[in-house]
Amino acid sequence: MSQSTKPLIGAHLPIKGGLHEALLLGAELGCGAIQLFSRNPRGWMAKPLTSESIDLFRKTRKHTKLSPVLIHANYLINLAAADELLLARSTASFREEVERALLLGVDYLVVHPGSARGACEADGIETCARSLNTACKRLRLGRFSILLENTAGQGECIGHRFEHLQEIMNRCPKLPLGVCIDTAHSFAAGYDIREEEGLEATIKIIRRTEGLKNVRAVHFNDSRAPYNSRVDRHWHIGEGHIGREALRRVARHPKLAHAAFILETPYDDPRADLKNLEMLRSFIVD
């Protein structure tokens, strides 16, 4: 691949010691882009950002020159919830995530569309779009974008078809929405990207629905779950059901070269990120 067509690569990195530590680790690992949580991803209450932590994050980013920088929204948010109390809580929490992302000056906030449990998919899609519009009301978003991530379809989650993301985007014409494509989710949801023909068919579907220009990031993961299982289980690159050669084709696909490739492989060993990064880097080097 020529230098101009190589995607930026990185990983979701820990924030122990402060949000800025993810940036420093990313630079140490040779990343061009990173993803992080801005808070505890498994709790509703978030520790407020201080002016000191915001300033340190912004200064560290300027020093490391990492771009783009993505924040992943917390896992409790369900913007498609049929339960009114959960939906209200999720909408408020998502607004807080957007506000934190704007304070930190990151490029993208990644969010799962949510689960329509207790309602039909169509209602879930409509609810998700309405929640996004409500959460972002009167916020000045500027060049910042929200990325909808496709899902494996586990637990009645919407977003397991690319058409779902297209419908949500169509219902939010005033919001800066893009897409984050997760390879493990796509595979588990029934998009067979193991062979070149299947990958090309998937690329065509994305082009017809969200549009390839709206794919701003790729969560680059192998899958511990089998094809079309509707189970969300990320795994190390080349060790899962998608496989090394199939993921290599994804990493080298010219239609995705403009997107940031972010690893979300299991952090079960301090050397795991480095090993997976080296694998991804080898895919895009001639």
Side-chain angles (χ1 to χ4, degrees):
M1 300 181 73
S2 69
Q3 189 64 42
S4 62
T5 59
K6 290 179 182 177
L8 290 164
I9 67 172
H12 185 109
L13 297 175
I15 57 173
K16 184 179 180 181
L19 301 182
H20 69 289
E21 290 290 345
L23 295 165
L24 292 174
L25 180 56
E28 182 182 332
L29 292 172
C31 298
I34 68 160
Q35 180 178 275
L36 68 154
F37 295 118
S38 79
R39 36 143 317 155
N40 174 11
R42 301 188 186 280
W44 288 111
M45 299 297 292
K47 183 179 178 181
L49 294 171
T50 64
S51 57
E52 292 79 11
S53 64
I54 294 168
D55 186 53
L56 181 56
F57 184 88
R58 285 177 171 266
K59 285 182 177 178
T60 305
R61 184 181 179 187
K62 186 176 182 180
H63 174 72
T64 59
K65 299 179 181 179
L66 291 170
S67 183
V69 174
L70 299 77
I71 286 176
H72 198 298
N74 74 76
Y75 292 135
L76 298 183
I77 291 173
N78 183 0
L79 298 176
D83 179 270
E84 291 185 7
L85 183 60
L86 175 58
L87 183 63
R89 201 169 193 182
S90 296
T91 304
S93 184
F94 183 69
R95 182 180 179 88
E96 182 183 40
E97 292 276 12
V98 174
E99 290 171 337
R100 292 169 73 91
L102 292 172
L103 286 170
L104 293 167
V106 304
D107 303 284
Y108 304 128
L109 174 65
V110 181
V111 65
H112 299 170
S115 171
R117 186 183 299 275
C120 65
E121 279 187 352
D123 287 344
I125 290 166
E126 182 178 354
T127 300
C128 178
R130 185 171 62 250
S131 301
L132 287 166
N133 284 315
T134 300
C136 295
K137 194 172 292 184
R138 292 185 295 277
L139 291 180
R140 296 183 179 181
L141 301 180
R143 300 174 68 180
F144 166 80
S145 294
I146 296 163
L147 304 187
L148 302 174
E149 181 177 352
N150 68 307
T151 69
Q154 184 170 318
E156 299 180 50
C157 284
I158 60 172
H160 58 93
R161 310 312 301 165
F162 292 118
E163 288 81 1
H164 294 178
L165 305 186
Q166 178 190 23
E167 288 185 53
I168 294 168
M169 293 172 73
N170 288 343
R171 291 171 183 266
C172 302
K174 294 183 179 180
L175 292 184
L177 297 182
V179 173
C180 175
I181 303 298
D182 189 299
T183 52
H185 296 175
S186 301
F187 179 72
Y191 295 97
D192 195 348
I193 58 174
R194 286 173 294 190
E195 302 297 335
E196 185 173 358
E197 184 179 356
L199 174 60
E200 291 304 324
T202 301
I203 292 291
K204 286 180 181 178
I205 293 170
I206 296 169
R207 180 192 294 127
R208 174 172 53 81
T209 52
E210 294 86 14
L212 289 166
K213 71 180 188 302
N214 290 317
V215 179
R216 310 292 178 82
V218 174
H219 282 168
F220 195 72
N221 307 302
D222 212 326
S223 177
R224 196 171 190 178
Y227 168 68
N228 205 26
S229 61
R230 301 281 287 268
V231 174
D232 181 0
R233 294 290 184 275
H234 297 185
W235 202 233
H236 300 291
I237 304 304
E239 298 179 17
H241 288 276
I242 301 175
R244 176 182 175 132
E245 285 308 306
L247 288 168
R248 183 177 183 274
R249 279 191 290 271
V250 174
R252 295 178 65 86
H253 202 291
K255 298 296 185 183
L256 299 174
H258 62 284
F261 278 61
I262 303 293
L263 292 161
E264 286 186 323
T265 46
Y267 199 73
D268 50 13
D269 185 299
R271 298 162 294 180
D273 276 342
L274 184 57
K275 178 183 176 182
N276 285 304
L277 272 168
E278 287 176 350
M279 181 80 74
L280 172 53
R281 193 172 283 118
S282 74
F283 291 163
I284 62 173
V285 174
D286 288 318

